[in-house]
Amino acid sequence: MRKKSGLKLFLIIACIAILCYIALNGLEIGIYRIVPLAERVQQGLDLKGGLYVVYEADIAPGDPDRDSKIAGAIRVMRNRLDKSNQHEATIAPQGTNRIVVEIPGVDNPQELADILMKPAVLEFIGPEGDVIITGKDVKTAKPGYITGQKPVVHFELHPEGAKKFAEATEKYLGQVIKIVLDGNPISEPTVDEVIPNGQGVIHGMRDIEEAQKLATLIESGALPVELKQVEVRTIGATLGANALERGILAGIVGLSLVFLFMLVYYRLPGLVADLALVVYTLLVMLITVLARITITLPGIAGIVLSIGMAVDANVIIFERIKEELRAGKTLRAALDSGFSKAFSAILDSNVTTLIAGVVLLYFGTGPIQGFAKTLMLGVVVSMFTAIVFTKYVLRLIIDLNVQNKKLYGV
Amino acid sequence: MVYERGITEMNIDFVSKYKIFVAISLVIIIAGLAVMIFQGLNLGIDFKGGTVIYVNIGKPYSPDDIRSILSSQGIEATVVQVGDNKQDAIIRMRYMENQEEIQQRLIDALKEKYDLTDERFSVDTVGPTIGKDLTRNAILSTVISWVFILIYVGTRFEFKSGVAAIVALVHDVLIMVAAAALLRTQINSPFVAAVLTIIGYSINDTIVIFDRVRENQKRFGKKLSMAEIVNRSINESLTRTINTSLTTLFTVTALYVFGVESIKEFSLPMLVGIISGVYSTIFIAGPLWVEWSERAERRRLATAK
């Protein structure tokens, strides 16, 4: 019995030590390579820098097409982001009439934010003020150069648009067809010949970047609703990295203080609680990585906070055990009744924290949701480590015949 | 441990003196409310709208230089010098019509003056419409969590104890708001997160005591009065009430000391809330339960006669 418990205890501690080592340093066995856990954590914008924009759509509250308009706008914005090579960007609806866009690490955040909200309504208008074709008729639009190195946009129309365009160029031969974007004429070419194949060029761009931008806008289509920016946050990469560093430092200091306190105040059980805290920290990080939870700055705060909360259950249990010991119970009996009597209070406490977490997750936006997620994760994981794990290890220790009650703080 | 025994054998009469403790809290809350009425809360851009530019200049600078840039551009804004070596600046301005243009001009001027790149700037701009939603959501979520917790505690214990626990929670939130008003802390969404976290957390200690009351009722229900049972329970749970909050105080203090501005905006109200939570658990929640139980008991006896 005693030998077996000793072996189990040794194995548990060895396992934790190895897992800690792998989590911190990674591991390489032949072709298999495990990267350190910290490197796998998905960082939020506020840590790695980037752009966070909330757009508000101008839609009447009772509009029956509200949802489809928002979905349409998101599609168009996605197109524009993809064409600007921002594949890591995320777009999501928020509430009923808002859209949140998050783009990691951009150089020209404001410019990109502006492009995303451009209505991009393209119209070809004849001399009589009639709309000949619109952006919807355009199949492709590409930037390029024509003679004299002038930047232009080449476009190709869908068959139906091509037909309309052919008819119009025939009708207005020798006259001006205005090309208008969002009400601003960008080019006013004179029709030199009939264009039957639906291919043409738009002049009037200052440089190739402008041509690229216009081509992107035309190809990704017009927004079905009018958008305005109601919240823009840009986070510089240096500042994000600093916030991360300081957050980790706070975590290490907080963890050490809790460690020390538990050890000094509760001695042997305190040491076991500290071990449980190590397991807790490992599990939270592992779940964060596996469940692909993005860690934001408030998310780090949630984790650090939850370290302090995680040992609460242990404090409640250990105080109970002390009481039972003072009442004259044996160690094993005190341990069992300590755990079972403390359980309901611990469960109730954690449920109320979860209630607050759920409310926060539901009503909070952006980074605050990150906080709610890590807080709730922490509560659930700590229930396991503080109760199941601690109890198991303490039992093993008692089996080893460590009976000196002084070690248990009595 | 002698000291440890001392605490467990302590028998402080919290219940009969509870009016004094309530009065202390009321003084803080009323002072805070008075400041709120006359000066308002120090609401940040999340609520009021506006722009905050955080810049890491990375070398010693004088905030007056930035102020003169601001005045030369006709921008009304405040400058605060922050950071480890006082090398960072926070520039706050109210929301204006052509916000984007104004802030870009300012950023360009700062870049030129201190030779900076985009990486050293964080710019938050919030329009005036967002604040209304946040205010509504903040109030709504606070009330909703109160209701849920009342239902939960009410079913797990009894309705009266649920109400006593909620009164303690309302107390904590009022103290947090009062402290924010008195200390002039910036109030943004991290503050709301702190309030909700405290609502979920500060009740934990209260539950531990109520759990103990329930147990002691079974043991001494016939021999002792409600006041004696609650007093006993508070005294017996004193070490754990203090220790559980202490460990959380450690980590929150670490966040406050080492964290960046937005983390400080969260951890300072958290510190206030945790301390207030311990206070309300020991001095308010239990005694209030006694008060109501005894009142109900007296009424029952009166009608029985």
Side-chain angles (χ1 to χ4, degrees):
Chain A
M1 181 79 175
R2 210 174 150 181
K3 247 187 202 161
K4 221 172 141 191
S5 299
L7 186 66
K8 275 188 197 160
L9 198 61
F10 173 76
L11 282 177
I12 288 174
I13 294 171
C15 268
I16 294 171
I18 291 170
L19 285 175
C20 271
Y21 178 83
I22 295 175
L24 289 174
N25 301 304
L27 190 67
E28 235 169 298
I29 309 169
I31 52 163
Y32 297 102
R33 188 164 172 270
I34 303 170
V35 264
L37 219 45
E39 282 175 27
R40 295 278 301 272
V41 172
Q42 285 186 19
Q43 295 178 8
L45 287 185
D46 49 0
L47 298 176
K48 63 180 172 187
L51 172 68
Y52 174 96
V53 194
V54 181
Y55 296 94
E56 196 170 74
D58 187 17
I59 311 179
D63 192 333
D65 297 331
R66 194 174 62 188
D67 292 350
S68 69
K69 276 181 182 167
I70 293 285
I74 289 178
R75 228 172 8 251
V76 170
M77 291 164 100
R78 178 85 259 168
N79 269 332
R80 290 182 190 171
L81 284 171
D82 285 346
K83 289 191 166 70
S84 318
N85 280 321
Q86 299 294 344
H87 301 290
E88 271 185 72
T90 60
I91 310 179
Q94 182 192 81
T96 51
N97 64 339
R98 293 199 179 127
I99 297 170
V100 180
V101 178
E102 291 184 67
I103 310 164
V106 278
D107 299 331
N108 44 359
Q110 197 55 58
E111 200 179 321
L112 197 59
D114 290 343
I115 289 179
L116 284 179
M117 60 180 267
K118 264 218 177 281
V121 177
L122 180 76
E123 287 170 327
F124 285 58
I125 298 174
E128 290 154 23
D130 51 327
V131 176
I132 302 161
I133 51 171
T134 67
K136 281 187 190 136
D137 295 307
V138 179
K139 195 165 120 200
T140 60
K142 297 270 176 290
Y145 293 98
I146 53 161
T147 43
Q149 291 299 299
K150 274 208 202 130
V152 293
V153 171
H154 295 274
F155 66 87
E156 197 185 330
L157 302 170
H158 289 296
E160 208 174 305
K163 214 177 104 205
K164 280 189 275 181
F165 196 50
E167 282 164 11
T169 45
E170 197 179 338
K171 186 174 165 195
Y172 298 128
L173 195 62
Q175 297 180 43
V176 172
I177 291 181
K178 275 195 281 187
I179 302 171
V180 178
L181 185 75
D182 295 336
N184 303 314
I186 38 175
S187 173
E188 301 187 8
T190 308
V191 181
D192 297 329
E193 50 180 349
V194 180
I195 304 174
N197 58 357
Q199 286 179 1
V201 288
I202 303 174
H203 298 263
M205 265 62 68
R206 260 170 305 170
D207 48 33
I208 194 72
E209 276 82 33
E210 203 181 325
Q212 171 70 57
K213 230 188 272 179
L214 182 63
T216 299
L217 285 174
I218 295 173
E219 262 204 343
S220 49
L223 285 172
V225 283
E226 205 178 299
L227 296 178
K228 65 173 195 257
Q229 298 171 13
V230 287
E231 191 177 339
V232 186
R233 295 177 193 269
T234 53
I235 302 104
T238 318
L239 295 176
N242 179 43
L244 176 65
E245 218 172 87
R246 306 267 296 261
I248 292 173
L249 183 63
I252 293 171
V253 172
L255 190 67
S256 312
L257 286 173
V258 174
F259 249 73
L260 211 64
F261 175 80
M262 291 303 283
L263 192 63
V264 170
Y265 203 96
Y266 294 106
R267 304 188 201 173
L268 186 60
L271 183 67
V272 178
D274 286 347
L275 202 60
L277 205 52
V278 174
V279 177
Y280 167 82
T281 312
L282 274 177
L283 278 178
V284 167
M285 278 186 72
L286 193 67
I287 294 171
T288 306
V289 169
L290 292 180
R292 296 175 186 281
I293 297 173
T294 302
I295 292 296
T296 58
L297 187 54
I300 293 183
I303 292 176
V304 176
L305 176 70
S306 73
I307 289 173
M309 293 183 179
V311 291
D312 284 7
N314 285 129
V315 169
I316 296 171
I317 294 165
F318 296 163
E319 286 297 328
R320 262 295 177 174
I321 294 176
K322 275 191 192 175
E323 266 182 65
E324 304 287 326
L325 283 175
R326 270 188 226 113
K329 286 196 180 162
T330 63
L331 266 177
R332 189 184 302 270
L335 184 75
D336 285 341
S337 71
F339 271 92
S340 66
K341 281 187 182 165
F343 184 76
S344 75
I346 295 169
L347 182 71
D348 288 342
S349 314
N350 284 328
V351 170
T352 54
T353 309
L354 282 180
I355 289 175
V358 171
V359 173
L360 212 45
L361 191 63
Y362 185 79
F363 284 102
T365 51
I368 296 298
Q369 287 181 326
F371 169 76
K373 278 182 201 163
T374 54
L375 183 71
M376 288 162 74
L377 175 67
V379 168
V380 174
V381 174
S382 73
M383 277 282 273
F384 166 75
T385 54
I387 300 177
V388 182
F389 178 84
T390 315
K391 190 176 180 182
Y392 185 72
V393 174
L394 271 176
R395 274 231 180 111
L396 292 179
I397 291 176
I398 290 174
D399 284 342
L400 282 177
N401 245 338
V402 183
Q403 297 285 8
N404 187 345
K405 286 191 180 178
K406 273 213 178 103
L407 287 173
Y408 297 85
V410 175
Chain B
M1 264 166 96
V2 183
Y3 153 73
E4 158 61 22
R5 275 199 176 258
I7 281 190
T8 8
E9 281 164 15
M10 232 178 224
N11 195 9
I12 308 168
D13 187 3
F14 295 108
V15 174
S16 67
K17 295 194 195 80
Y18 96 99
K19 282 189 180 141
I20 302 170
F21 300 122
V22 171
I24 295 172
S25 291
L26 280 179
V27 168
I28 299 174
I29 292 168
I30 290 168
L33 286 180
V35 172
M36 256 175 85
I37 290 165
F38 293 114
Q39 288 193 317
L41 288 167
N42 186 6
L43 293 176
I45 57 163
D46 287 4
F47 284 96
K48 274 199 317 196
T51 294
V52 173
I53 299 174
Y54 190 105
V55 51
N56 167 238
I57 291 173
K59 52 191 166 237
Y61 75 99
S62 157
D64 284 334
D65 290 348
I66 296 182
R67 285 188 194 111
S68 66
I69 293 178
L70 287 167
S71 64
S72 77
Q73 296 196 355
I75 303 171
E76 238 182 90
T78 60
V79 183
V80 187
Q81 199 167 16
V82 290
D84 289 335
N85 311 310
K86 298 271 168 213
Q87 294 180 350
D88 298 359
I90 299 179
I91 304 163
R92 294 194 174 95
M93 48 181 141
R94 257 187 305 174
Y95 191 80
M96 283 165 283
E97 267 313 306
N98 41 351
Q99 192 82 25
E100 228 177 81
E101 202 189 307
I102 295 169
Q103 75 195 39
Q104 198 50 54
R105 255 202 338 244
L106 176 60
I107 291 170
D108 289 342
L110 289 170
K111 275 187 191 166
E112 200 188 297
K113 174 148 178 82
Y114 296 107
D115 190 21
L116 303 170
T117 54
D118 275 324
E119 281 177 19
R120 292 176 182 272
F121 285 88
S122 280
V123 186
D124 293 354
T125 303
V126 181
T129 52
I130 291 272
K132 269 184 224 138
D133 286 18
L134 185 63
T135 312
R136 201 199 60 212
N137 277 353
I139 294 171
L140 202 61
S141 50
T142 307
V143 173
I144 287 175
S145 36
W146 279 338
V147 171
F148 277 127
I149 287 173
L150 176 66
I151 294 170
Y152 184 77
V153 178
T155 34
R156 291 286 289 166
F157 297 88
E158 55 165 57
F159 185 69
K160 275 200 280 296
S161 61
V163 175
I166 293 299
V167 170
L169 283 186
V170 174
H171 164 271
D172 297 343
V173 172
L174 287 177
I175 292 279
M176 285 171 86
V177 175
L182 294 169
L183 301 170
R184 310 303 301 151
T185 346
Q186 273 270 327
I187 296 187
N188 282 306
S189 38
F191 181 82
V192 181
V195 167
L196 282 168
T197 310
I198 286 298
I199 290 177
Y201 179 73
S202 121
I203 195 160
N204 293 7
D205 297 337
T206 316
I207 285 176
V208 170
I209 290 183
F210 284 2
D211 196 49
R212 183 52 74 104
V213 171
R214 190 164 53 181
E215 204 184 310
N216 282 339
Q217 266 178 328
K218 280 182 206 148
R219 271 173 74 191
F220 309 106
K222 298 219 170 80
K223 280 180 271 170
L224 298 177
S225 72
M226 187 63 185
E228 284 167 318
I229 289 174
V230 169
N231 240 337
R232 192 187 168 95
S233 307
I234 297 174
N235 278 292
E236 281 173 354
S237 315
L238 209 53
T239 323
R240 82 211 55 175
T241 304
I242 292 165
N243 283 4
T244 49
S245 298
L246 213 53
T247 54
T248 312
L249 269 182
F250 288 152
T251 53
V252 176
T253 309
L255 281 175
Y256 181 71
V257 173
F258 299 106
V260 292
E261 275 321 293
S262 66
I263 293 293
K264 288 192 203 300
E265 274 181 25
F266 166 78
S267 44
L268 185 62
M270 276 294 291
L271 283 175
V272 174
I274 293 170
I275 294 166
S276 161
V278 173
Y279 186 89
S280 65
T281 294
I282 298 176
F283 300 116
I284 294 176
L288 212 56
W289 189 8
V290 175
E291 179 77 17
W292 279 335
S293 299
E294 284 181 345
R295 227 176 253 183
E297 184 67 14
R298 278 199 295 273
R299 214 173 300 139
R300 199 180 60 83
L301 287 176
T303 44
K305 275 176 196 167

